[in-house]
Amino acid sequence: MELCVRASSLLLGLLLQLLSSVDVVSAAQKFGINYGQIANNLPDPTQVAGLLQSLNVNKVKLYDADPKVLMAFANTGVEFIIAIGNENLQSMAGNPGAARQWVTQHVQPFLPATRITCITVGNEVFSGNDTGMMASLLPAMKAIYAAVGELGLGGQVTVSSAHSVNVLATSFPPSSGAFREDLAQYIQPLLDFHGQTNSPFLINAYPFFAYKASPGSVSLPYVLFEPNPGVRDPNTNLSYDNMLYAQIDAVYAAMKAMGHTDIGVRISETGWPSKGDEDEAGATVENAAAYNGNLMQRIAMNQGTPLKPNVPIDVFVFALFNEDMKPGPTSERNYGLFYPNGSPVYAINTGAGGVSGRTGPFDPYSAQMFSSASRLAMTSGMGETENLY
């Protein structure tokens, strides 16, 4: 009897939370999500498809081209960015046939049922020291682009690559943004390719890393999109109230310095961990909820950066799930919005941070991946969920 009352109370609480939102979960979300799978306890892709549909998330980025995932999302309308791993770049760069075979095997069979809209060739290639891989990146991208065109998919699928924000030598003030000199020989022709093919430049940007490295000098409200005095770019007189926008505009400035004002910037990864090691300052549930919640609200408002106020930011949040097999510090395994069982790691208040505008509709507690009974059994209360794992 007590269990039934408790379950009923939780269900009522969930319902009231949904009804008290300014918006119901109906319109498609304007942010994308990174669906990583470096874990041994993730749900079946068909369940994930249900989860994201219940949240109205319609943009997903993968780190491979998992056929099970692509089949599970058939006829859902969800847009996909799929990926070619770094290990394949050199073989594809020197063998156009290999590129065509990859597209024939990993893209063509799933269209049009699954909406594959972009292929990323490599991930953060310029972050390492493998010059052979760096030199192979653009030829591999060109080979994939040619294969996409030859197969008649050019109007549906773009080709790009994701880069760490550390490809910048200078990022502040944003107007002084510049790419590293040692990468110029690779980035200049890469930008030319993006300009010719009308494809976006993808950046993985994590203000968390800046705060973690210097918590004494980096303002936490500034990196969390919370009220703060902001910083002013002395060259443009533009004011920035958060680090992510400054990083985006620094990339625009760096591209302009190389002669390109015709390329869009998309944030292919950004997020904040809910847990970290003792030396990982700021890795808390509260900060993760603030960062992602405040960011999602700005996305819902179609907000642009100070340099590009009329160009809404285009962001893929990292990540969908906590991934228990990722190497590195504890934070690497705790970027997820959800636990593998489908319960939210934390509540996201999309009205937080003092940003004006309507409360966003994203509500992780409305997610439906498992039955209501299963989810009630897995949580003893909304405020206690994070302590169960």
Side-chain angles (χ1 to χ4, degrees):
M1 181 66 177
E2 181 181 353
L3 179 60
C4 292
V5 172
R6 196 174 189 183
S8 298
S9 298
L10 177 57
L11 187 58
L12 178 61
L14 295 176
L15 180 61
L16 290 175
Q17 181 176 357
L18 289 175
L19 293 177
S20 65
S21 298
V22 175
D23 294 307
V24 295
V25 183
S26 56
Q29 301 295 340
K30 296 177 181 178
F31 67 91
I33 195 82
N34 281 277
Y35 178 6
Q37 299 184 78
I38 306 178
N40 60 9
N41 57 355
L42 296 182
D44 186 270
T46 56
Q47 293 176 310
V48 178
L51 170 68
L52 293 183
Q53 284 184 286
S54 74
L55 293 168
N56 291 294
V57 173
N58 67 351
K59 295 191 295 184
V60 174
K61 177 170 163 285
L62 298 180
Y63 293 88
D64 53 20
D66 188 338
K68 291 182 179 179
V69 173
L70 297 178
M71 286 189 291
F73 279 84
N75 302 311
T76 62
V78 174
E79 295 181 21
F80 270 87
I81 296 178
I82 61 174
I84 296 172
N86 293 355
E87 68 277 6
N88 297 314
L89 299 188
Q90 288 170 293
S91 62
M92 287 190 180
N95 184 359
R100 185 184 176 99
Q101 182 179 2
W102 192 93
V103 175
T104 301
Q105 179 180 349
H106 296 284
V107 180
Q108 197 172 31
F110 303 99
L111 294 171
T114 302
R115 295 184 62 196
I116 299 171
T117 59
C118 180
I119 302 170
T120 56
V121 182
N123 184 57
E124 299 192 352
V125 172
F126 298 134
S127 296
N129 53 14
D130 188 334
T131 55
M133 185 180 296
M134 294 179 190
S136 297
L137 176 59
L138 183 55
M141 291 174 69
K142 288 182 175 179
I144 291 294
Y145 179 77
V148 167
E150 290 167 4
L151 293 169
L153 307 176
Q156 304 175 57
V157 183
T158 60
V159 176
S160 190
S161 184
H163 310 282
S164 165
V165 75
N166 291 329
V167 295
L168 296 176
T170 305
S171 60
F172 194 85
S175 60
S176 298
F179 291 112
R180 286 164 38 194
E181 288 186 11
D182 62 310
L183 298 178
Q185 61 179 312
Y186 307 113
I187 291 182
Q188 180 68 70
L190 182 67
L191 294 179
D192 295 340
F193 170 82
H194 284 302
Q196 293 161 6
T197 62
N198 194 31
S199 54
F201 190 80
L202 306 183
I203 284 288
N204 299 338
Y206 289 87
F208 165 71
F209 292 145
Y211 182 77
K212 171 185 169 180
S214 303
S217 58
V218 175
S219 164
L220 186 59
Y222 179 67
V223 294
L224 292 181
F225 304 95
E226 296 189 329
N228 67 90
V231 294
R232 189 169 296 277
D233 186 322
N235 301 320
T236 62
N237 209 34
L238 294 174
S239 182
Y240 290 83
D241 68 355
N242 70 86
M243 182 177 287
L244 183 66
Y245 286 13
Q247 291 175 327
I248 293 172
D249 282 353
V251 174
Y252 277 120
M255 293 195 298
K256 184 177 181 180
M258 285 193 164
H260 283 280
T261 58
D262 55 344
I263 303 169
V265 175
R266 300 178 79 180
I267 298 299
S268 42
E269 287 184 24
T270 194
W272 197 283
S274 59
K275 185 186 299 184
D277 294 321
E278 289 184 5
D279 61 347
E280 294 190 282
T284 67
V285 166
E286 294 76 15
N287 289 342
Y291 183 85
N292 286 320
N294 292 339
L295 173 60
M296 287 178 189
Q297 186 184 15
R298 288 172 181 250
I299 294 169
M301 295 166 61
N302 289 324
Q303 196 173 75
T305 67
L307 182 65
K308 303 275 188 176
N310 297 320
V311 179
I313 55 173
D314 193 345
V315 176
F316 282 77
V317 173
F318 186 86
L320 181 55
F321 295 113
N322 281 344
E323 299 173 69
D324 67 343
M325 295 182 68
K326 291 197 72 174
T330 297
S331 62
E332 286 295 316
R333 294 175 289 282
N334 288 278
Y335 274 92
L337 300 181
F338 292 90
Y339 293 108
N341 68 8
S343 61
V345 176
Y346 44 80
I348 293 179
N349 178 7
T350 55
V355 182
S356 61
R358 304 192 324 174
T359 302
F362 182 81
D363 180 3
Y365 284 100
S366 71
Q368 295 179 12
M369 183 169 72
F370 300 96
S371 67
S372 297
S374 298
R375 290 193 297 120
L376 291 174
M378 289 185 291
T379 57
S380 61
M382 292 168 62
E384 299 171 11
T385 304
E386 67 203 40
N387 300 319
L388 297 178
Y389 304 92

